[in-house]
Amino acid sequence: MNAVTPTPRRGRPPKAQAQLTRSAIREAALTVIDRDGIAAVSMRSVSRLLGVDAKSLYHHVADKDDLLDAVAEHLLGELTAPELTGELRADLTALAHEFRRVTLAHPEAASLVLTRQLSTLAGLAPIDAALSVLTHAGADPEQAVRLLRVLVAALVGMLLREVSAGPTFGSSDPTDIAVRQTALEGSGLPEVVACAPFLARFDQDGEFASGVDLVVDFVVSHLAVTHA
Amino acid sequence: MNAVTPTPRRGRPPKAQAQLTRSAIREAALTVIDRDGIAAVSMRSVSRLLGVDAKSLYHHVADKDDLLDAVAEHLLGELTAPELTGELRADLTALAHEFRRVTLAHPEAASLVLTRQLSTLAGLAPIDAALSVLTHAGADPEQAVRLLRVLVAALVGMLLREVSAGPTFGSSDPTDIAVRQTALEGSGLPEVVACAPFLARFDQDGEFASGVDLVVDFVVSHLAVTHA
DNA sequence: ACCTGAACACCGTTCAAGT
DNA sequence: ACCTGAACACCGTTCAAGT
């Protein structure tokens, strides 16, 4: 037996299989996501990566859903609120771009971060930072929450599009743009035809930046009116 | 044999099994979604409802993804652009609420409508309507597309939250509000604590309506500045 | 306390064969 | 043209048993 089963000392490569932990499982799941996409995540694929039986995972995560929540939560925790300057526009913009950075750091995991409703309080820190910016600019709590919600909705919507769009929605590749523009022009819908060149084109970085500018403008103007 | 297997004439109830069609499959899928949720959709569960073998579906849909696309596309097609009055604010608001109506008509299917990137041109009609409103208010094509994109992102973000939040995010039920408010107050984050009463509360209809008001305000002010 | 063998009730999809 | 039996390579999860 000793001859057949390898001794612990010279077992499989550095599988880090020393001890199965919740965080090791979470990291393995993220590795699978990055490598093969969110659809490839299964209790079996994750456990395979850890050199362990799938059922062992259940000692550390309640079920697959819990595992995905853990991943989402951890990624959101990577968001470090930039230090605030006190300048409304600059601070909101910085927060928005930091949110995007975190989301796009693992594009295949983005849908988790953007759509999971996290039940724990993790990732409440960025909310706090955003509220702080808004109230320091003169918003009362009720207004701050309302503005925050529209802001977050817009960011989530933009990032979700960016991440799930792939080349479908509009592209930065000239050939794709041409193809799509032709399709749009053949739709027979007058406004779509008129706007086709702009609908077909989608520059991810630029769209996000200008979208954030618009949304931040909006917040600024709302606070300026009420407060000045 | 004839004695055991029922004759075609008196087979199962009116399964509408007469002819398997793409649209019948699509409708069955929607029935499963409405009844048991999006996660319950499988080629097998859908085919079961139709009294047919799962593999038969492949003669009418390419694969499961194609089936879900068909459902999303069809639901989006239910959106009938309200007749436009020419008044920017009223028309945008009406479009937004019609989009919400369609989305929430089948809440369990909402994520399909909101996140699927439809490759066909179905559901381009509402885009056309929105662009029409914007250009009639004086936007040039480029600006119209940019405003449209922010607008859609905000709507998608808000609806996604509304649909996937359930009671997690904030509630209209007083007990839930109290529980959540207490949790938020225990977070130790100063702004979150200060805003807790408003963060804990979430009135779906009201939030959407006021969110739309804000976003529409934003579009109006942007067009007013440029155009007047 | 942690891991797994056996097991259950599922999946999506292909392909050759039937009508 | 349309449907299905047999089959393949998967799923998530439970539970009793092992260390």
Side-chain angles (χ1 to χ4, degrees):
Chain A
M1 256 206 182
N2 254 341
V4 173
T5 48
T7 70
R9 185 168 249 105
R10 44 188 277 286
R12 305 307 224 49
K15 276 286 183 189
Q17 183 208 1
Q19 198 129 306
L20 199 52
T21 63
R22 188 176 168 88
S23 60
I25 294 172
R26 193 231 301 130
E27 277 163 28
L30 186 54
T31 304
V32 173
I33 293 173
D34 285 340
R35 197 223 288 135
D36 303 319
I38 185 72
V41 177
S42 73
M43 301 305 270
R44 284 157 150 106
S45 65
V46 171
S47 67
R48 206 175 299 133
L49 200 66
L50 291 162
V52 128
D53 189 280
K55 299 179 290 313
S56 303
L57 306 186
Y58 288 89
H59 285 272
H60 304 93
V61 298
D63 51 21
K64 186 180 173 180
D65 225 56
D66 183 39
L67 171 54
L68 294 179
D69 274 344
V71 173
E73 216 160 82
H74 180 253
L75 289 179
L76 202 52
E78 297 286 280
L79 192 154
T80 56
E83 48 190 320
L84 304 180
T85 67
E87 212 276 291
L88 176 59
R89 195 180 299 267
D91 287 345
L92 279 186
T93 304
L95 269 171
H97 279 92
E98 170 66 2
F99 184 47
R100 179 173 186 247
R101 186 192 65 76
V102 165
T103 303
L104 299 190
H106 301 272
E108 286 288 345
S111 66
L112 292 183
V113 179
L114 295 174
T115 64
R116 292 244 146 192
Q117 221 67 30
L118 305 181
S119 47
T120 74
L121 298 183
L124 215 52
I127 297 288
D128 194 67
L131 287 173
S132 168
V133 172
L134 292 170
T135 52
H136 277 76
D140 61 70
E142 180 169 12
Q143 192 182 21
V145 169
R146 198 169 37 201
L147 289 173
L148 173 72
R149 282 184 174 154
V150 175
L151 203 132
V152 169
L155 291 179
V156 167
M158 288 195 293
L159 288 172
L160 209 53
R161 169 171 60 206
E162 184 168 349
V163 135
S164 74
T168 316
F169 178 73
S171 170
S172 36
D173 178 76
T175 351
D176 287 351
I177 294 179
V179 168
R180 181 154 163 87
Q181 185 169 340
T182 311
L184 289 169
E185 279 162 354
S187 70
L189 300 168
E191 301 296 336
V192 167
V193 171
C195 298
F198 302 102
L199 284 171
R201 166 171 286 115
F202 191 74
D203 164 44
Q204 314 234 88
D205 293 342
E207 288 286 331
F208 186 81
S210 81
V212 167
D213 284 350
L214 289 178
V215 173
V216 169
D217 272 357
F218 150 75
V219 173
V220 169
S221 73
H222 260 262
L223 287 179
V225 168
T226 319
H227 205 65
Chain B
M1 253 205 184
N2 254 340
V4 172
T5 47
T7 72
R9 185 169 250 101
R10 44 189 274 287
R12 305 308 221 48
K15 276 286 184 189
Q17 184 207 0
Q19 199 127 305
L20 199 52
T21 64
R22 188 177 168 87
S23 60
I25 294 172
R26 194 231 300 131
E27 277 163 27
L30 186 54
T31 304
V32 172
I33 293 173
D34 286 339
R35 198 223 287 135
D36 303 320
I38 186 74
V41 176
S42 73
M43 301 304 271
R44 283 158 151 104
S45 64
V46 171
S47 67
R48 206 176 299 131
L49 199 66
L50 292 163
V52 128
D53 189 279
K55 298 179 292 313
S56 302
L57 306 187
Y58 287 90
H59 284 272
H60 303 93
V61 299
D63 51 21
K64 186 180 173 179
D65 226 56
D66 182 39
L67 171 52
L68 294 179
D69 274 345
V71 173
E73 215 160 82
H74 179 253
L75 289 179
L76 202 53
E78 296 285 280
L79 193 154
T80 55
E83 48 191 319
L84 305 180
T85 67
E87 212 278 289
L88 175 60
R89 195 180 300 266
D91 287 343
L92 279 186
T93 305
L95 268 172
H97 279 92
E98 170 65 3
F99 184 46
R100 180 173 185 247
R101 186 191 67 73
V102 165
T103 303
L104 299 189
H106 301 271
E108 287 288 345
S111 65
L112 293 183
V113 179
L114 294 174
T115 65
R116 293 246 145 191
Q117 221 67 31
L118 305 181
S119 47
T120 72
L121 298 184
L124 215 52
I127 297 288
D128 194 67
L131 287 173
S132 167
V133 172
L134 292 170
T135 53
H136 277 77
D140 61 70
E142 181 168 14
Q143 191 182 21
V145 168
R146 198 168 40 200
L147 289 174
L148 173 72
R149 282 184 175 154
V150 175
L151 203 132
V152 169
L155 291 179
V156 167
M158 290 195 291
L159 289 171
L160 208 54
R161 169 170 63 206
E162 183 169 350
V163 135
S164 74
T168 317
F169 178 75
S171 170
S172 38
D173 177 76
T175 352
D176 287 351
I177 294 179
V179 169
R180 180 154 164 87
Q181 185 169 340
T182 310
L184 290 169
E185 278 161 356
S187 70
L189 301 168
E191 301 296 337
V192 167
V193 171
C195 297
F198 302 103
L199 285 170
R201 168 170 286 113
F202 191 75
D203 164 45
Q204 316 233 89
D205 293 342
E207 288 287 332
F208 186 81
S210 81
V212 167
D213 284 350
L214 288 178
V215 173
V216 168
D217 272 358
F218 150 75
V219 172
V220 169
S221 73
H222 260 264
L223 288 180
V225 167
T226 318
H227 204 66

Coordinates of all heavy atoms in Angstrom, one line a residue, chain B residues 41-44 48 55 58 63-64, chain C residues 10-18:
Chain B
V41 N -36.0 25.7 -16.1 CA -36.1 25.5 -17.5 C -35.1 24.5 -17.9 O -33.9 24.8 -17.8 CB -36.0 26.8 -18.3 CG1 -36.0 26.5 -19.8 CG2 -37.1 27.8 -18.0
S42 N -35.5 23.4 -18.5 CA -34.6 22.5 -19.1 C -35.3 21.9 -20.3 O -36.5 22.0 -20.5 CB -34.2 21.4 -18.1 OG -35.3 20.5 -18.0
M43 N -34.5 21.4 -21.2 CA -35.1 20.8 -22.4 C -36.1 19.8 -22.0 O -37.1 19.6 -22.6 CB -34.0 20.2 -23.3 CG -32.9 21.2 -23.8 SD -33.5 22.7 -24.6 CE -33.6 22.1 -26.3
R44 N -35.7 19.1 -20.9 CA -36.6 18.0 -20.5 C -37.9 18.6 -19.9 O -39.0 18.0 -20.1 CB -35.8 17.1 -19.5 CG -34.9 16.2 -20.2 CD -33.8 15.7 -19.3 NE -33.2 14.4 -19.6 CZ -32.0 14.2 -20.2 NH1 -31.3 15.2 -20.5 NH2 -31.6 13.0 -20.4
R48 N -41.5 17.9 -21.4 CA -42.5 17.2 -20.6 C -43.8 17.9 -20.7 O -44.9 17.2 -20.8 CB -42.0 17.2 -19.2 CG -42.5 16.0 -18.3 CD -41.9 16.0 -16.9 NE -40.4 15.9 -17.0 CZ -39.6 16.7 -16.3 NH1 -40.0 17.6 -15.5 NH2 -38.2 16.5 -16.4
K55 N -35.5 15.5 -27.0 CA -34.7 15.6 -28.1 C -35.5 16.1 -29.4 O -34.9 16.6 -30.3 CB -34.1 14.2 -28.4 CG -33.2 13.8 -27.3 CD -32.5 12.4 -27.5 CE -33.5 11.3 -27.5 NZ -34.5 11.2 -26.4
Y58 N -35.0 19.7 -30.6 CA -33.9 20.2 -31.4 C -34.2 20.3 -32.9 O -33.3 20.7 -33.6 CB -32.7 19.2 -31.2 CG -32.0 19.4 -29.8 CD1 -32.5 18.7 -28.7 CD2 -31.0 20.3 -29.6 CE1 -31.9 18.9 -27.5 CE2 -30.5 20.5 -28.4 CZ -30.9 19.8 -27.3 OH -30.4 20.0 -26.1
D63 N -30.5 25.1 -29.7 CA -30.1 24.5 -28.4 C -30.9 25.3 -27.3 O -31.7 26.2 -27.6 CB -28.6 24.6 -28.2 CG -28.1 26.0 -28.5 OD1 -28.9 27.0 -28.5 OD2 -26.9 26.1 -28.8
K64 N -30.5 25.1 -26.1 CA -31.2 25.7 -25.0 C -31.1 27.3 -25.1 O -32.0 28.0 -24.8 CB -30.7 25.2 -23.7 CG -31.5 25.7 -22.5 CD -30.9 25.2 -21.2 CE -31.6 25.8 -20.0 NZ -31.1 25.3 -18.7
Chain C
dC10 P -36.0 13.9 -10.9 OP1 -36.2 15.4 -10.9 OP2 -37.2 13.0 -10.9 O5' -35.1 13.5 -12.2 C5' -34.8 14.4 -13.2 C4' -33.6 15.3 -12.8 O4' -32.5 14.4 -12.4 C3' -33.0 16.1 -14.0 O3' -33.7 17.3 -14.1 C2' -31.6 16.3 -13.6 C1' -31.3 15.1 -12.7 N1 -30.4 14.0 -13.4 C2 -29.1 14.3 -13.8 O2 -28.7 15.5 -13.6 N3 -28.3 13.4 -14.3 C4 -28.8 12.1 -14.5 N4 -28.0 11.2 -15.0 C5 -30.1 11.8 -14.1 C6 -30.9 12.8 -13.5
dC11 P -34.2 17.8 -15.5 OP1 -35.3 18.7 -15.3 OP2 -34.3 16.7 -16.4 O5' -33.0 18.7 -15.9 C5' -32.1 18.1 -16.8 C4' -30.8 18.9 -16.8 O4' -29.8 18.1 -16.1 C3' -30.3 19.1 -18.2 O3' -30.6 20.5 -18.6 C2' -28.9 18.8 -18.2 C1' -28.7 17.8 -17.0 N1 -28.9 16.3 -17.4 C2 -27.9 15.7 -18.2 O2 -27.0 16.4 -18.6 N3 -28.0 14.4 -18.4 C4 -29.1 13.7 -18.0 N4 -29.1 12.4 -18.2 C5 -30.1 14.3 -17.2 C6 -30.0 15.6 -16.9
dG12 P -31.3 20.8 -19.9 OP1 -31.8 22.2 -19.9 OP2 -32.3 19.7 -20.3 O5' -30.1 20.7 -20.9 C5' -28.9 21.5 -20.7 C4' -27.9 21.2 -21.7 O4' -27.5 19.8 -21.6 C3' -28.4 21.3 -23.2 O3' -27.4 21.9 -24.0 C2' -28.7 19.8 -23.6 C1' -27.7 19.1 -22.7 N9 -28.1 17.7 -22.4 C8 -29.3 17.4 -21.7 N7 -29.5 16.1 -21.5 C5 -28.3 15.6 -22.0 C6 -27.9 14.2 -22.0 O6 -28.5 13.2 -21.6 N1 -26.6 14.0 -22.7 C2 -25.9 15.1 -23.1 N2 -24.7 14.8 -23.7 N3 -26.2 16.4 -23.1 C4 -27.5 16.5 -22.5
dT13 P -27.6 22.2 -25.5 OP1 -26.6 23.2 -25.9 OP2 -29.1 22.4 -25.7 O5' -27.2 20.8 -26.2 C5' -25.9 20.3 -25.9 C4' -25.7 19.0 -26.6 O4' -26.4 17.9 -25.9 C3' -26.3 18.9 -28.0 O3' -25.2 18.8 -28.9 C2' -27.2 17.7 -28.1 C1' -26.7 16.9 -26.8 N1 -27.8 16.1 -26.2 C2 -27.5 14.7 -26.0 O2 -26.5 14.2 -26.4 N3 -28.5 14.0 -25.4 C4 -29.7 14.5 -25.0 O4 -30.6 13.7 -24.5 C5 -30.0 15.9 -25.2 C7 -31.3 16.5 -24.8 C6 -29.0 16.6 -25.8
dT14 P -25.4 18.7 -30.5 OP1 -24.3 19.5 -31.1 OP2 -26.8 19.0 -30.9 O5' -25.1 17.2 -30.7 C5' -24.0 16.6 -30.1 C4' -23.8 15.2 -30.6 O4' -24.7 14.3 -29.8 C3' -24.2 14.9 -32.0 O3' -23.2 14.1 -32.6 C2' -25.6 14.3 -32.0 C1' -25.5 13.5 -30.7 N1 -26.8 13.2 -30.1 C2 -27.0 12.0 -29.5 O2 -26.2 11.1 -29.5 N3 -28.2 11.9 -28.9 C4 -29.2 12.9 -28.8 O4 -30.3 12.6 -28.2 C5 -28.9 14.1 -29.4 C7 -29.9 15.2 -29.3 C6 -27.7 14.3 -30.0
dC15 P -23.1 13.9 -34.2 OP1 -21.7 14.3 -34.6 OP2 -24.2 14.5 -34.9 O5' -23.2 12.3 -34.4 C5' -23.4 11.4 -33.3 C4' -24.2 10.2 -33.7 O4' -25.4 10.1 -32.9 C3' -24.6 10.2 -35.2 O3' -24.6 8.8 -35.6 C2' -26.0 10.7 -35.1 C1' -26.5 10.0 -33.8 N1 -27.7 10.7 -33.2 C2 -28.5 9.9 -32.4 O2 -28.2 8.7 -32.1 N3 -29.6 10.5 -31.8 C4 -29.9 11.7 -32.1 N4 -31.0 12.2 -31.5 C5 -29.1 12.5 -33.0 C6 -28.0 12.0 -33.5
dA16 P -24.4 8.5 -37.2 OP1 -23.0 8.6 -37.5 OP2 -25.4 9.3 -38.0 O5' -24.9 7.0 -37.3 C5' -24.8 6.2 -36.1 C4' -26.1 5.5 -35.8 O4' -27.1 6.4 -35.3 C3' -26.8 4.9 -37.1 O3' -27.2 3.5 -36.9 C2' -28.0 5.8 -37.3 C1' -28.3 6.3 -35.9 N9 -29.0 7.6 -35.9 C8 -28.6 8.7 -36.6 N7 -29.5 9.7 -36.3 C5 -30.4 9.2 -35.4 C6 -31.5 9.8 -34.8 N6 -31.9 11.0 -35.0 N1 -32.2 9.0 -34.0 C2 -31.9 7.7 -33.8 N3 -30.8 7.1 -34.3 C4 -30.1 7.9 -35.2
dA17 P -27.7 2.7 -38.1 OP1 -27.1 1.3 -37.9 OP2 -27.5 3.4 -39.4 O5' -29.2 2.6 -37.8 C5' -29.7 2.1 -36.6 C4' -31.1 2.5 -36.3 O4' -31.2 4.0 -36.4 C3' -32.1 2.0 -37.4 O3' -32.8 0.9 -36.9 C2' -33.0 3.3 -37.6 C1' -32.5 4.3 -36.6 N9 -32.5 5.7 -37.1 C8 -31.7 6.3 -37.9 N7 -32.0 7.6 -38.2 C5 -33.1 7.8 -37.4 C6 -33.9 9.0 -37.1 N6 -33.6 10.1 -37.7 N1 -34.9 8.8 -36.3 C2 -35.1 7.6 -35.7 N3 -34.5 6.5 -35.8 C4 -33.4 6.6 -36.7
dG18 P -34.2 0.4 -37.5 OP1 -34.2 -1.0 -37.4 OP2 -34.5 1.1 -38.7 O5' -35.2 1.0 -36.4 C5' -36.6 0.8 -36.6 C4' -37.3 2.1 -36.5 O4' -36.5 3.2 -36.9 C3' -38.5 2.2 -37.4 O3' -39.7 1.8 -36.7 C2' -38.6 3.7 -37.8 C1' -37.3 4.3 -37.2 N9 -36.7 5.3 -38.1 C8 -35.6 5.0 -38.8 N7 -35.2 6.1 -39.5 C5 -36.1 7.1 -39.1 C6 -36.2 8.5 -39.5 O6 -35.5 9.1 -40.2 N1 -37.2 9.1 -38.8 C2 -38.1 8.5 -38.0 N2 -39.1 9.3 -37.4 N3 -38.0 7.2 -37.6 C4 -37.0 6.6 -38.2

